[in-house]
Amino acid sequence: MRLDTRTLVLMAVAIVINVVVGQIAVWVKLPLYVDAVGTVLVAILAGPIAGALTGVLTNLIWGLVSDPTAAAFFPVSMVVGLLAGWLARIGWFRSIGMTVAAGAVIGVISTIVAIPIIVYMFGGVTGAGTDFATAYLVAVGHELVRSVAIANLVQNLADKILTCLLAWLIVKRLPLRFSSGFAFFAHSKV
Amino acid sequence: MAVARPSGSDHALLYVPGTSWLHRLNPMTKLVAVLWIAVAAFVLPTAGTIALAGLAAATGILAGAGKVFARRLAFTLTPLTVALFVVHGLLVGHGNQTDWFGLTVSRDGIAFMFHILGRIAALLAGSLLFVTTTHPARLLKALDSKGFPPGMAYLIASPLLLLDPFTTRARAIREAQSARGLDLNGSLMTRIRAFPALLMPLITLALADIDHRAQVLDGRGFRAVPRRTVLDPPPDSPAQLWARRLILISIPFQIAGGLLWR
Amino acid sequence: MNAPLLDLRAVGFAYGETPVLRDISFAVHPGEVVALVGRNGAGKSTMLRLLNGLLRPDAGTVLIDGADTADRKVSELARTVGTVFQAPEQQIFNATVRSEIAFGPAQLNLGEDALQARIAEAVARTGLEGLLDTHPLDLDAATRRFVAIASVLACAPRLLLLDEAQRGLDRQRRARLADIIAEERAAGRAIVLVCHDMDFVADTADRVLGLAGGLLAVDATVRRFFADEQAPHSVSVERPQIAVLAAALGLPVALTPAELVARLVPTMEGDADASDH
């Protein structure tokens, strides 16, 4: 599948957006990562393959720039891109309500993909805030995998719903002369 | 991504300039070596992974990247150690419990903790060896000279180059919006509403650029042919070529050995 | 005499080890239009950021309406100080001109009616009628600048900071901007404009502050500044053509063609009288 130059440039920009948005989230002290906005954006404009590739490369770039072990989560980013693209194709990004639903679906499935990585590679912890929840759940008697799942699910749901909403907002506000150049975007136009 | 990230605004590469033998190795050789280390990290027992991590770190220090190694290893491993200790040492019911300063600690849990930490340390140290001694531009040239598709090479090079200008722009936007009354320190709701005001100008500016960039690229014959000629590819040698082949061949044996050990 | 709206006392600022501004003291009162001039890199943009709170001085105090900027948040100061930045694209994030203009006043918690009135007024003054539903980024750069100006005007700040707002504007828009500045002055607002265009300075400003070598080298009325040969030179700016011409003709300083003519006519009539005899 050959992507045209414009799509490639969009993807490159989206990768940078993924990285920089995380920085902005820190400025407003948001307890979420929101680091897949670019991935979902590309998925809505150019389809699932482009979206998935954007996600995977973001992890790669992140590994080169900041934390090589975070790159281990590339399957999660890939799934986010694929799902967003497939859901966009069936029109889930046309209205705000459906976008929230899309975020929920992506949140649940990406958590499922993340759990084996967290459990197997990192022993069930992430080194981040969700570990408090995980520890608490284990302490009250839940077994490890379930605790990891619940703890990360809540945060991931909020994160992905916000991410999809932001992507939707951005896409809605794009000047016409820009968005009309992406054929796949027709699936999400009202 | 679910792992903890640094809140530093420094988006400089992890690359540390230098002239060590590691720096001079062909990036492809280094990539293959990292792959070998990654497999070893999963296959070796705890003592092995810790030794591997130590070896990699020592090599990194010799190559001049000691500070980066120290910082990244500390930053990543510290919260993980704490969390693993609490979850596996104290909470999850691993066997072999013993008393330790009043806490009931599980020796098996601690062993597991070190098992995970060792593996991550080895993975991290291995990747750092690559990342600190290979400038992305050189990596791209190496990939290009081996026939990597130019589109993919662009997708790696361009984001790396755009990171700093985008971060600068994001800061300028934050200033401009604050000067218009945007409050970044309010209640959670205020802050959530402030988020789009910081994000949108950045993204719309970034997207507005795209058409122009695409035209410039096409005008320069981007992807007109499937392979690019590289004017100064990183030096390679028959020795390195054979080393890479040997390492790659050894990987299945590594995996088999690891499985048999269990 | 009314209290100064802006009062700088021995202000100094350095970027890391490099000093940019030293010992700057001046005051601006309501109803004054002050031009900030100097060569590129003289510290004019830095000065603007000290005035809207984006930067805090390393030495001295910046008082806005009597209160020290060091104690206030940028977003709080934004109620009193409005800035039109050089690159309005960095502020624009809404999809329509209307919502973009409404953003600033919306932060001020006005009533709905007051908000609409402010917006309508800003739109009328900047000539943006008919463009309210357009995406700001679909507009040309000059119109976008006016969208940024409108969004700042709608906040009705008492101190208005303009960073090269006149750059790249065609004649009609320049005139409109000059009108807006005059209106603000008449309404008792204070305006500080960073400007490289000395004709525009001569047209709109009352006073000139010139930066050179990190110091405030010049603080004079516009007339005095352009009458002097050395002063503009000391801050690396050129006098407007009209002033140069007036000086060459040995006449008192003129800032507009009309003034020059007014100065010339008596002289010419005087000569005519003389030649009649």
Side-chain angles (χ1 to χ4, degrees):
Chain A
M1 192 198 133
R2 193 180 153 90
L3 300 163
D4 72 359
T5 309
R6 208 154 165 270
T7 307
L8 276 188
V9 178
L10 172 68
M11 289 165 70
V13 167
I15 292 170
V16 185
I17 288 174
N18 278 340
V19 177
V20 178
V21 170
Q23 181 58 56
I24 299 180
V26 171
W27 287 343
V28 287
K29 306 201 234 306
L30 213 59
L32 302 170
Y33 293 113
V34 204
D35 53 16
V37 178
T39 308
V40 175
L41 192 59
V42 171
I44 296 176
L45 288 171
I49 309 280
L53 196 51
T54 305
V56 170
L57 286 170
T58 303
N59 281 69
L60 173 64
I61 301 286
W62 193 263
L64 285 174
V65 161
S66 190
D67 187 355
T69 55
F73 285 89
F74 78 86
V76 180
S77 307
M78 184 178 77
V79 161
V80 170
L82 284 174
L83 281 172
W86 290 330
L87 292 173
R89 184 177 284 151
I90 55 176
W92 279 41
F93 282 94
R94 285 206 199 115
S95 70
I96 191 170
M98 290 307 284
T99 303
V100 172
V105 169
I106 295 174
V108 169
I109 298 184
S110 64
T111 307
I112 295 175
V113 175
I115 290 169
I117 302 175
I118 300 175
V119 171
Y120 181 61
M121 216 183 111
F122 293 89
V125 301
T126 59
T130 51
D131 289 344
F132 289 108
T134 309
Y136 171 74
L137 288 166
V138 172
V140 298
H142 296 283
E143 53 116 14
L144 184 63
V145 178
R146 174 176 296 181
S147 308
V148 171
I150 298 174
N152 284 279
L153 181 65
V154 176
Q155 199 223 34
N156 216 13
L157 261 180
D159 192 293
K160 294 299 174 287
I161 291 177
L162 181 61
T163 301
C164 287
L165 280 174
L166 281 172
W168 180 80
L169 213 73
I170 293 166
V171 146
K172 272 201 85 66
R173 289 182 181 184
L174 284 174
L176 265 175
R177 59 179 166 78
F178 177 82
S179 47
S180 53
F182 288 98
F184 191 84
F185 181 53
H187 296 288
S188 305
K189 278 207 272 238
V190 176
Chain B
M1 286 166 277
V3 286
R5 283 125 120 271
S7 58
S9 56
D10 191 40
H11 274 297
L13 300 168
L14 289 172
Y15 173 69
V16 177
T19 51
S20 71
W21 68 277
L22 260 186
H23 283 86
R24 280 178 274 136
L25 271 185
N26 187 291
M28 302 306 287
T29 312
K30 284 185 272 192
L31 265 182
V32 168
V34 172
L35 186 60
W36 187 92
I37 295 178
V39 174
F42 279 92
V43 152
L44 286 172
T46 310
T49 55
I50 294 182
L52 185 58
L55 197 61
T59 316
I61 293 171
L62 285 174
K67 261 206 278 192
V68 175
F69 269 75
R71 229 190 356 221
R72 289 263 109 238
L73 282 167
F75 216 96
T76 306
L77 294 178
T78 312
L80 284 176
T81 310
V82 172
L84 284 169
F85 177 75
V86 170
V87 171
H88 289 277
L90 300 177
L91 294 172
V92 172
H94 291 289
N96 232 320
Q97 313 231 316
T98 167
D99 206 35
W100 197 63
F101 297 116
L103 289 171
T104 318
V105 171
S106 152
R107 284 226 201 85
D108 285 356
I110 299 292
F112 184 70
M113 175 185 92
F114 279 114
H115 178 64
I116 298 283
L117 286 176
R119 183 196 292 162
I120 297 191
L123 284 168
L124 188 52
S127 347
L128 283 174
L129 271 184
F130 175 77
V131 161
T132 53
T133 61
T134 315
H135 193 281
R138 228 173 124 88
L139 169 64
L140 254 357
K141 286 204 195 121
L143 291 171
D144 269 347
S145 63
K146 304 293 176 195
F148 207 56
M152 284 292 286
Y154 170 79
L155 282 179
I156 300 174
S158 185
L160 287 169
L161 289 171
L162 289 174
L163 263 181
D164 275 336
F166 269 53
T167 311
T168 309
R169 219 187 252 172
R171 282 204 202 103
I173 291 171
R174 180 181 64 174
E175 288 187 342
Q177 301 296 47
S178 302
R180 259 168 135 201
L182 189 73
D183 191 0
L184 297 178
N185 302 295
S187 63
L188 185 63
M189 265 328 281
T190 318
R191 284 183 277 135
I192 288 183
R193 271 193 264 123
F195 196 50
L198 295 176
L199 192 56
M200 302 296 277
L202 181 68
I203 295 184
T204 36
L205 275 175
L207 297 178
D209 250 350
I210 285 178
D211 284 318
H212 177 72
R213 278 182 202 272
Q215 279 166 1
V216 169
L217 280 171
D218 281 335
R220 287 199 259 174
F222 181 55
R223 301 196 304 161
V225 287
R227 302 243 154 134
R228 295 209 282 207
T229 324
V230 185
L231 285 175
D232 55 344
D236 202 359
S237 65
Q240 289 191 50
L241 190 59
W242 277 104
R244 290 200 293 272
R245 286 191 185 141
L246 277 173
I247 293 174
L248 283 172
I249 291 174
S250 77
I251 287 178
F253 288 100
Q254 264 183 308
I255 301 177
L259 291 172
L260 284 175
W261 197 285
R262 310 285 159 87
Chain C
M1 181 180 122
N2 40 5
L5 186 49
L6 179 60
D7 195 357
L8 270 74
R9 300 183 185 167
V11 165
F13 186 82
Y15 279 116
E17 292 298 311
T18 328
V20 176
L21 296 170
R22 288 174 291 153
D23 201 24
I24 310 277
S25 301
F26 65 87
V28 177
H29 293 81
E32 270 197 276
V33 179
V34 175
L36 192 55
V37 306
R39 59 140 69 110
N40 291 331
K44 306 190 292 291
S45 292
T46 308
M47 175 72 88
L48 273 192
R49 296 180 130 86
L50 285 166
L51 299 182
N52 61 20
L54 285 172
L55 292 174
R56 304 296 148 95
D58 294 330
T61 36
V62 176
L63 297 168
I64 296 197
D65 218 0
D68 196 337
T69 59
D71 302 325
R72 313 253 291 278
K73 287 195 288 188
V74 180
S75 45
E76 270 177 61
L77 285 170
R79 288 165 187 271
T80 317
V81 184
T83 316
V84 177
F85 288 89
Q86 269 199 47
E89 298 76 44
Q90 287 169 354
Q91 289 167 291
I92 291 174
F93 77 104
N94 285 291
T96 61
V97 168
R98 183 189 287 110
S99 48
E100 189 57 34
I101 297 175
F103 176 73
Q107 309 289 322
L108 296 173
N109 286 323
L110 304 163
E112 183 63 31
D113 289 335
L115 182 64
Q116 291 304 323
R118 288 271 186 99
I119 296 171
E121 195 198 317
V123 168
R125 291 171 73 187
T126 47
L128 294 169
E129 303 92 338
L131 293 172
L132 289 174
D133 291 308
T134 321
H135 195 295
L137 294 182
D138 278 333
L139 299 168
D140 66 277
T143 314
R144 248 182 274 152
R145 176 94 50 77
F146 270 82
V147 171
I149 293 173
S151 73
V152 172
L153 287 178
C155 299
R158 295 180 57 210
L159 173 62
L160 193 56
L161 305 177
L162 302 172
D163 197 349
E164 304 272 8
Q166 83 297 334
R167 180 180 286 192
L169 293 182
D170 58 40
R171 222 160 46 105
Q172 209 182 22
R173 289 210 172 101
R174 266 169 71 104
R176 198 183 270 277
L177 178 60
D179 286 341
I180 291 173
I181 294 176
E183 286 162 13
E184 293 293 296
R185 181 219 265 118
R189 312 263 165 77
I191 297 140
V192 175
L193 33 107
V194 170
C195 193
H196 273 125
D197 183 337
M198 291 304 123
D199 287 308
F200 194 75
V201 170
D203 235 0
T204 52
D206 305 315
R207 199 167 134 212
V208 173
L209 295 171
L211 292 174
L215 297 167
L216 190 62
V218 169
D219 182 352
T221 61
V222 166
R223 229 164 249 296
R224 197 96 65 73
F225 182 66
F226 289 131
D228 188 329
E229 248 188 77
Q230 278 311 301
H233 191 70
S234 72
V235 290
S236 309
V237 301
E238 301 274 315
R239 292 190 285 175
Q241 300 280 51
I242 283 290
V244 175
L245 192 53
L249 292 172
L251 295 167
V253 68
L255 296 177
T256 63
E259 271 184 42
L260 183 60
V261 168
R263 304 227 189 293
L264 272 174
V265 169
T267 326
M268 280 165 35
E269 282 174 355
D271 284 346
D273 282 345
S275 65
D276 272 354
H277 293 318

